[in-house]
Amino acid sequence: LLTSNGFYQDEEGNLYIIAKGFCMTREREVIYCSSVDMNLRILSIYKETDNKIWLGTVKGLFLFDGKDFSLFEEHDKLKQTRITAITGMGDDLLVGTTSEGLFVLTKDSILQYNSGSGFGANIVRCIYQENDSVLWIGSNKGLHRVSHRIDTAEGVLDFYRITTGEGLSSNVINDITISDSLMWIGTDNGLVSLDLRELQLRSVPPRLAITGIEVNNQPVPLSDPLVLEYNQNNLQIYFSGISFKGPDNLSYRYRLAG
């Protein structure tokens, strides 16, 4: 008797019943059950090939090769955190966690996106794949549209975040599905619908404004030319992007040249 923790359906129509192992059914007939009990509750599952099934558990990412379970040991954080969602995107594997954000497993590296990077959240609650190049992630910080970055010099993925500032009833996203062009979003504060045909992604960066400068913890006028003495070596520059639509959805980057 299998006590189910959830279900997963692959592209071939096979239904997986998830517990401390898993069973695969097709047309209401059980055609396979894993013979190994992991003693860990499985939270998510993704079939890459017949002999490569990824399993997210309450304590780490596992790989099932058709016979045995093995812990994915190529990244310390993926060995101990809760894995809430797994999906493929092109040649990459995306892994969502409850505390470490999103991991992207490529052929050559493992990348992490969290609240300190372009993703903007540490908790991934669900992932929905729209097509081969676009997927949606629900987190505790809003709804995230994820696509492959055309210029991969600065990373693999490009993120766009939608929050309560743009109309969501809550930033805690529990589930996502799409029917035709209408997205249904389950939140902590009810059900929200989003017409993807009317979604306008910000393509032009907002204008950047320098709002203040301090030298040795003392404010200086913005209108005056800034000439510093050798002992004026504590410099703070305050800036902000001017945006009336989702201002909390802005990410900044900067460099010091010279």
Side-chain angles (χ1 to χ4, degrees), residues 92-108:
D92 302 331
L93 186 74
L94 277 65
V95 180
T97 73
T98 58
S99 59
E100 302 294 339
L102 180 71
F103 289 87
V104 181
L105 281 60
T106 71
K107 292 181 179 180
D108 304 318

Side-chain angles (χ1 to χ4, degrees), residues 2-258:
L2 187 69
T3 301
S4 171
N5 294 322
F7 302 90
Y8 166 77
Q9 188 171 25
D10 63 22
E11 295 179 351
E12 299 171 358
N14 300 316
L15 182 66
Y16 295 81
I17 304 171
I18 306 170
K20 289 187 177 180
F22 64 91
C23 289
M24 182 173 69
T25 69
R26 182 181 299 152
E27 297 179 354
R28 299 184 180 182
E29 180 181 354
V30 177
I31 60 176
Y32 174 81
C33 272
S34 59
S35 59
V36 181
D37 190 337
M38 297 182 62
N39 288 322
L40 288 173
R41 188 158 57 96
I42 299 174
L43 302 177
S44 53
I45 185 170
Y46 175 72
K47 178 185 176 184
E48 186 170 341
T49 65
D50 287 338
N51 295 320
K52 198 171 186 179
I53 299 176
W54 295 93
L55 303 165
T57 75
V58 294
K59 195 174 182 180
L61 179 66
F62 284 77
L63 183 62
F64 183 70
D65 62 5
K67 295 182 180 180
D68 298 309
F69 296 98
S70 60
L71 178 65
F72 183 77
E73 297 186 309
E74 296 186 25
H75 197 291
D76 288 341
K77 292 180 180 178
L78 288 175
K79 293 192 299 183
Q80 53 194 355
T81 189
R82 283 175 172 253
I83 309 297
T84 53
I86 312 170
T87 192
M89 189 175 189
D91 296 328
D92 302 331
L93 186 74
L94 277 65
V95 180
T97 73
T98 58
S99 59
E100 302 294 339
L102 180 71
F103 289 87
V104 181
L105 281 60
T106 71
K107 292 181 179 180
D108 304 318
S109 61
I110 300 176
L111 305 175
Q112 183 180 7
Y113 298 90
N114 52 29
S115 60
S117 61
F119 180 51
N122 289 330
I123 299 175
V124 173
R125 303 179 68 88
C126 59
I127 298 178
Y128 182 89
Q129 187 163 9
E130 181 179 353
N131 52 48
D132 291 338
S133 59
V134 176
L135 56 83
W136 297 84
I137 298 178
S139 76
N140 65 321
K141 298 292 185 179
L143 176 68
H144 310 253
R145 184 184 185 272
V146 184
S147 59
H148 270 284
R149 190 187 294 270
I150 297 175
D151 177 10
T152 58
E154 298 176 0
V156 176
L157 303 178
D158 189 42
F159 298 98
Y160 180 80
R161 183 157 58 108
I162 301 172
T163 66
T164 53
E166 295 174 301
L168 290 181
S169 60
S170 169
N171 284 333
V172 179
I173 309 300
N174 297 313
D175 207 357
I176 305 166
T177 191
I178 296 177
S179 178
D180 295 327
S181 60
L182 195 63
M183 174 183 289
W184 294 96
I185 308 161
T187 78
D188 269 11
N189 192 28
L191 186 65
V192 177
S193 63
L194 173 64
D195 192 336
L196 298 179
R197 294 170 298 184
E198 298 180 0
L199 180 64
Q200 296 181 355
L201 303 179
R202 185 185 298 113
S203 57
V204 179
R207 184 176 178 180
L208 190 67
I210 303 297
T211 59
I213 298 177
E214 291 184 2
V215 177
N216 290 349
N217 297 318
Q218 297 297 319
V220 298
L222 295 177
S223 58
D224 295 346
L226 190 60
V227 179
L228 302 178
E229 300 293 337
Y230 74 94
N231 59 347
Q232 293 179 300
N233 51 19
N234 186 339
L235 178 65
Q236 299 182 63
I237 302 175
Y238 300 91
F239 55 89
S240 178
I242 302 174
S243 174
F244 298 101
K245 182 180 179 182
D248 58 344
N249 196 24
L250 298 178
S251 297
Y252 300 92
R253 61 180 178 178
Y254 54 87
R255 67 173 183 171
L256 297 177

